[in-house]
Amino acid sequence: GAYESWHSALVAIAVVTMIAGNAIGLAQKNLKRLLAYSSIGHAGYLMVAIASTSMHGASAMLFYLFFYTLATFGAFAVVIALTKKDSNVVLIDDLSGLWATRPWLAVSMAVIMLSLLGFPIFGGAGFVAKWYILQVALQARLPQTLLAIVLVLTTVVSAGYYLRVIMVMFMRAPAENAEQAPPAAPLTRLVLAVTVASILVLGVYPNWFQRVASRG
């Protein structure tokens, strides 16, 4: 019927977006483009929650949207902090040795990357959000096993670019004669501090927002 056709189309779109977004993300050297293409993969994860067609799926989607909004604000705060006056392009290689020159910025970006990856503990709310969607998919009235498998596999693929950013910041030496970005504006620092703190706190105490999302 119409419902089955709609659901099949949604599953197909979710699979394509998860695979395409993460596969293209692997090839990116520009940090903004990496975040843009990875967002396609995250849209696929949201579709997994929708495909479960349950109230729990709706609350999982709201929780994921809230976490992803926080992580995106934080990631672009880092991009703004690293943007030089003569260029609006921030390459991943521009983060080389960031731990040595601006440690607070490197630690903040590491938390955000691990959160977008869905890494346990250090990824804060990101792990909880993906786990919530995975549970919803597998416990749906019609279990979405295919979507759950693709979600896990594409998350593993995404580690290739999220962990690369962390590796560049912590394991490479700063480039010689590299031009330093000007100090971050107070508002940028505030946004970054609030988003990172919120991601970590939500990872430890997710139940409150899960209840709010369920009521929503």
Side-chain angles (χ1 to χ4, degrees):
Y3 171 78
E4 287 77 10
S5 299
W6 170 84
H7 189 267
S8 297
L10 180 63
V11 169
I13 294 171
V15 169
V16 170
T17 52
M18 284 189 286
I19 293 174
N22 287 294
I24 298 173
L26 279 173
Q28 301 309 308
K29 297 181 179 179
N30 183 312
L31 190 55
K32 289 181 184 178
R33 288 182 181 176
L34 183 152
L35 295 170
Y37 282 111
S38 74
S39 70
I40 298 173
H42 288 283
Y45 302 146
L46 289 170
M47 290 181 189
V48 174
I50 296 172
S52 70
T53 62
S54 67
M55 292 302 294
H56 289 300
S59 61
M61 184 186 71
L62 287 174
F63 187 91
Y64 200 95
L65 273 174
F66 183 69
F67 135 73
Y68 182 68
T69 300
L70 286 174
T72 300
F73 272 120
F76 278 97
V78 174
V79 170
I80 291 171
L82 294 175
T83 299
K84 303 177 181 67
K85 292 182 179 179
D86 58 345
S87 174
N88 62 357
V89 175
V90 178
L91 301 177
I92 294 174
D93 286 343
D94 292 340
L95 278 66
S96 295
L98 190 64
W99 166 248
T101 57
R102 300 171 81 171
W104 69 273
L105 204 57
V107 170
S108 298
M109 190 58 161
V111 170
I112 291 166
M113 293 292 101
L114 290 174
S115 185
L116 290 171
L117 171 60
F119 196 85
I121 303 177
F122 300 106
F127 172 75
V128 178
K130 279 192 178 177
W131 180 250
Y132 196 6
I133 286 183
L134 191 61
Q135 280 188 314
V136 163
L138 293 175
Q139 295 174 2
R141 184 171 57 86
L142 294 174
Q144 304 299 310
T145 307
L146 172 63
L147 291 179
I149 292 172
V150 175
L151 186 153
V152 171
L153 292 178
T154 52
T155 296
V156 173
V157 171
S158 72
Y161 53 84
Y162 289 133
L163 295 182
R164 182 176 65 190
V165 173
I166 296 174
M167 183 273 292
V168 166
M169 293 190 298
F170 287 87
M171 301 180 67
R172 284 190 188 174
E176 293 183 9
N177 302 321
E179 180 186 351
Q180 293 294 319
L187 181 58
T188 301
R189 293 199 295 269
L190 176 62
V191 169
L192 188 55
V194 169
T195 53
V196 170
S198 300
I199 287 170
L200 292 174
V201 170
L202 269 178
V204 178
Y205 303 105
N207 293 339
W208 174 81
F209 191 82
Q210 283 179 334
R211 289 195 296 269
V212 173
S214 296
R215 288 197 294 269

